[in-house]
């Protein structure tokens, strides 16, 4: 029987145009989205909703079945309003819900525009098809179990009008008992002590009984992005934004000697949780601000960020001058508003940035331009020490942190000829991760 679950309540609260709903198995994702779509079809007149899955049988045995059972349970199903081929239901409001699958971009384009699109099990749909459908939809829902990172993470979530929700079976009060039992069985295949919490070290290497089932649990039990390979150096989660009430720590910065990117990240800590937020990653920056230089310098890019972030944090402020004006010292002719903006930017620049001490030129130039930059001390062995220390935290990365996400995802330990893991990083530290490590190395000053 249909129930109002926590999963439904959480999905209903989502506001962005593209709603990305990731989750464990049986989190109530699909049973949450379909009733929300039904509700919209009843309340709004003449809207068109398209539900898409990988194949026609997949959509018929999945979403169509759920649709019919919810409509039946709530005494709304009228047989005459259903057409079986193509599968479509027309409500009294003249709103329509159609169930489809697409095997080509051309067909996806030809299907025209719609009000709402639901892509069920989005990781099974190729991006070009999904993109053609999303482009022609006012509102989009995507659900999936994240076996691995795919276009919902790399393309959709990095767009501004998108939102992320992760659900687990614990959000589904209607989860059938046999599924709960299966989950318990698999969890005990994965871990030596399956009753540990994450903070107590559930996912810790020393608690992993079987890497395959540990990865399975991460994806299908915890609703995370599958990455649990014993070879992965860092496990991490994606968050929409930095939560309230966490402690701010210094910013971290890595200087890429051209053409490598220079990266700046903000960081916050709450107990064992650490949060990273990428402010920029840019290639080809010159180390020092030079009059008349054609390329942007590190300081130029930092100044842009200061202005962008102050604008974002204070949408009420009126910037009536060119951006460069606000980077100058206060003048006696400045208005109160201009003084206030200059003060906020000065404050923004005053937050400590820890950067690679070998970037002397950059650090000096940053200080000369009012940035609170320090070189991080890197004693011998500090790289490995930093990695170990960072691994001790439960790492969270904001969804806009494209380079950090790619970096955390792609860095592995080496394996020897017998396939045994050696705790030695395989290849270069990816862009951005050094900046995260410098933050950890600066812990004594937090
Ligand atoms: N709102 C609900 N009312 C009744 N049963 C539900 C509801 N949500 C989920 N369920 C039950 O939980 C099971 C898993 O939900 P489902 O939405 O299919 O999970 P997911 O799409 O996250 O894998 C369903 O088969 C159904 O038995
Ligand atoms: Mg589902």
């Amino acid at each position: 029987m249909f129930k109002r679950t926590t999963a439904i309540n959480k999905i209903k609260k989502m506001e962005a145009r593209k709603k990305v709903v990731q989750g464990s198995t049986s989190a109530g994702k699909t049973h949450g989205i379909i009733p929300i779509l039904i509700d919209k079809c009843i309340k709004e007149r003449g809207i068109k909703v398209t539900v898409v899955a990988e194949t026609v049988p997949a959509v018929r045995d999945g979403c169509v079945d759920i649709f019919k059972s919810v409509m039946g349970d709530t005494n709304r199903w009228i047989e005459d309003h259903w057409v079986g081929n193509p599968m479509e239901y027309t409500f009294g409001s003249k709103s329509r819900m159609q169930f489809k699958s697409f095997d080509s971009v051309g067909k996806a384009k030809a299907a025209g525009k719609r009000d709402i699109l639901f892509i069920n099990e989005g990781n099974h749909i190729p991006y070009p098809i999904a993109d053609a459908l999303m482009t022609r939809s006012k509102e989009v829902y995507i659900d999936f179990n994240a076996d691995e990172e795919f276009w919902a993470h790399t393309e959709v979530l990095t767009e501004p009008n998108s939102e992320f929700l992760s659900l687990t079976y614990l959000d589904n009060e209607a989860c059938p008992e046999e599924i709960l039992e299966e989950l318990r069985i698999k969890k005990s295949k994965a871990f030596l002590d399956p009753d540990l919490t994450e903070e107590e070290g559930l996912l810790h290497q020393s608690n992993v009984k079987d890497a395959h089932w540990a990865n399975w649990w991460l994806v299908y039990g915890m609703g995370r992005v599958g990455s649990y390979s014993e070879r992965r150096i860092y496990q991490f989660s994606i968050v929409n934004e930095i939560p309230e009430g966490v402690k701010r720590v210094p910013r971290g910065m890595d200087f890429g000697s051209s053409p490598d990117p220079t990266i700046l990240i903000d960081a916050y800590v709450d107990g064992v949780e650490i949060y990273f937020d990428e402010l920029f990653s840019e290639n080809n920056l010159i180390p020092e601000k030079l009059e008349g230089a054609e390329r942007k310098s590190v300081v130029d890019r930092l100044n842009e960020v200061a202005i962008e972030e102050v604008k974002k944090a204070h949408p009420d402020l009126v910037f009536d001058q060119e951006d460069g004006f606000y980077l100058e010292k206060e003048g006696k002719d400045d208005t109160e508003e201009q003084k206030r903006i200059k003060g906020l930017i000065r404050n923004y620049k005053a937050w400590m940035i820890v950067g690679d001490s070998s970037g002397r030129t950059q650090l000096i130039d940053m200080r000369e331009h009012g940035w609170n930059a320090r070189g991080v001390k890197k004693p011998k062995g500090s790289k490995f020490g930093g990695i170990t220390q960072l691994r001790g935290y439960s790492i969270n990365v904001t969804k806009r942190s494209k380079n950090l996400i790619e970096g955390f995802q792609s860095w592995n330990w080496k394996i020897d000829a017998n396939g045994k893991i050696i705790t030695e990083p395989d290849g270069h530290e990816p862009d951005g991760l050094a900046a995260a490590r410098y933050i950890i190395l600066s812990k004594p000053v937090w």
Side-chain angles (χ1 to χ4, degrees):
M1 241 355 228
F2 177 71
K3 256 198 205 167
R4 177 97 188 204
T5 59
T6 303
I8 298 183
N9 293 337
K10 288 186 177 174
I11 299 167
K12 267 198 114 146
K13 285 211 184 96
M14 298 180 86
E15 285 172 353
R17 178 173 156 237
K18 294 183 183 171
K19 301 169 182 69
V20 176
V21 184
Q22 173 177 315
S24 77
T25 183
S26 305
K29 300 183 294 297
T30 315
H31 278 77
I33 293 169
I34 297 274
I36 291 173
L37 300 179
I38 292 174
D39 217 42
K40 294 200 185 213
C41 283
I42 291 170
K43 292 201 175 120
E44 290 171 44
R45 285 199 69 78
I47 63 168
K48 177 173 153 191
V49 177
T50 311
V51 176
V52 175
E54 187 181 13
T55 59
V56 169
V59 77
R60 189 186 52 223
D61 300 340
C63 290
V64 171
D65 261 3
I66 296 173
F67 174 73
K68 287 185 176 174
S69 82
V70 174
M71 291 291 282
D73 281 355
T74 52
N75 292 315
R76 287 183 176 130
W77 177 257
I78 302 174
E79 186 66 37
D80 285 353
H81 289 192
W82 174 252
V83 178
N85 186 18
M87 292 182 282
E88 183 170 306
Y89 190 88
T90 306
F91 292 80
S93 63
K94 295 282 173 274
S95 291
R96 290 180 294 151
M97 190 162 346
Q98 46 177 217
F99 298 86
K100 290 184 166 257
S101 87
F102 294 93
D103 56 12
S104 79
V105 174
K107 288 180 193 161
K109 285 185 180 165
K113 292 185 187 161
R114 63 193 62 73
D115 296 278
I116 308 176
L117 171 70
F118 169 29
I119 305 182
N120 179 227
E121 310 270 356
N123 50 337
H124 297 159
I125 312 281
Y127 180 62
I129 293 178
D131 187 42
L133 294 169
M134 290 190 288
T135 305
R136 291 164 183 78
S137 308
K138 290 188 194 149
E139 191 182 359
V140 178
Y141 291 82
I142 304 159
D143 84 352
F144 55 89
N145 308 118
D147 297 279
E148 54 190 13
E149 195 189 46
F150 73 111
W151 53 262
H153 304 99
T154 55
E155 303 300 333
V156 177
L157 282 173
T158 50
E159 296 170 7
N161 202 357
S162 67
E163 190 174 349
F164 179 71
L165 176 67
S166 169
L167 297 173
T168 74
Y169 63 98
L170 300 170
D171 293 304
N172 175 11
E173 290 81 1
C175 192
E177 180 50 40
E178 64 279 8
I179 290 179
L180 292 173
E181 185 184 319
E182 277 304 315
L183 284 164
R184 281 192 294 271
I185 293 172
K186 307 239 158 86
K187 193 178 184 187
S188 61
K189 288 186 185 180
F191 303 107
L192 294 168
D193 183 351
D195 296 328
L196 292 183
T197 63
E198 209 182 335
E199 289 74 28
E200 289 163 352
L202 177 74
L203 299 173
H204 223 268
Q205 212 133 317
S206 58
N207 193 41
V208 171
K209 197 195 290 184
D210 180 305
H212 165 77
W213 287 112
N215 190 48
W216 190 95
W217 182 256
L218 201 76
V219 176
Y220 295 95
M222 298 171 79
R224 301 286 185 76
V225 178
S227 66
Y228 202 95
S229 127
E230 291 192 335
R231 280 196 66 196
R232 189 68 39 88
I233 297 180
Y234 297 110
Q235 308 298 325
F236 72 102
S237 314
I238 298 177
V239 294
N240 277 319
E241 49 200 39
I242 305 294
E244 302 271 321
V246 293
K247 179 185 153 192
R248 178 117 189 251
V249 299
R251 300 185 174 121
M253 191 161 188
D254 189 28
F255 307 112
S257 55
S258 180
D260 286 348
T262 293
I263 292 186
L264 179 68
I265 59 184
D266 263 338
Y268 304 79
V269 170
D270 181 21
V272 295
E273 302 289 327
I274 193 160
Y275 297 86
F276 295 119
D277 185 29
E278 185 174 307
L279 292 163
F280 76 81
S281 166
E282 186 140 336
N283 300 77
N284 291 313
L285 293 177
I286 53 174
E288 196 169 16
K289 192 169 165 62
L290 299 173
E291 230 24 83
E294 263 173 36
R295 277 194 284 142
K296 246 186 250 175
S297 69
V298 170
V299 164
D300 289 328
R301 189 66 187 95
L302 281 166
N303 288 342
E304 285 175 5
V305 167
I307 288 170
E308 278 162 28
E309 293 292 311
V310 167
K311 279 186 180 166
K312 208 162 62 193
H314 304 273
D316 55 309
L317 292 175
V318 180
F319 286 66
D320 58 2
Q321 299 286 322
E322 298 232 335
D323 287 349
F325 169 84
Y326 297 99
L327 298 162
E328 291 165 15
K329 285 217 171 60
E330 285 170 24
K332 58 178 178 359
D333 298 332
D334 288 359
T335 65
E336 283 310 308
E337 181 92 343
Q338 289 166 349
K339 280 186 197 153
R340 193 172 155 226
I341 297 175
K342 286 183 176 181
L344 288 167
I345 289 174
R346 202 166 45 240
N347 269 343
Y348 189 86
K349 290 162 70 169
W351 195 261
M352 190 194 294
I353 298 179
V354 288
D356 188 341
S357 52
S358 63
R360 256 181 66 89
T361 317
Q362 291 93 327
L363 291 167
I364 291 171
D365 200 48
M366 284 161 68
R367 282 198 290 271
E368 264 173 20
H369 289 90
W371 289 88
N372 180 8
R374 292 206 197 175
V376 76
K377 289 202 179 68
K378 295 192 293 184
K380 206 169 163 12
S382 70
K383 184 160 179 185
F384 198 77
I387 293 171
T388 309
Q389 230 175 320
L390 186 49
R391 274 166 46 83
Y393 283 88
S394 161
I395 302 171
N396 303 276
V397 185
T398 58
K399 70 185 184 70
R400 67 170 176 167
S401 305
K402 202 168 177 164
N403 295 280
L404 277 177
I405 291 172
E406 278 174 24
F408 280 126
Q409 195 106 87
S410 65
W411 211 25
N412 290 318
W413 299 120
K414 275 188 190 160
I415 42 172
D416 68 13
N418 302 316
K420 230 175 94 53
I421 291 167
I422 317 167
T423 48
E424 209 180 293
D426 189 11
H428 278 299
E429 187 173 37
D431 300 330
L433 300 200
R437 203 162 41 75
Y438 300 151
I439 294 169
I440 290 291
L441 289 176
S442 75
K443 197 169 177 184
V445 305
W446 296 357

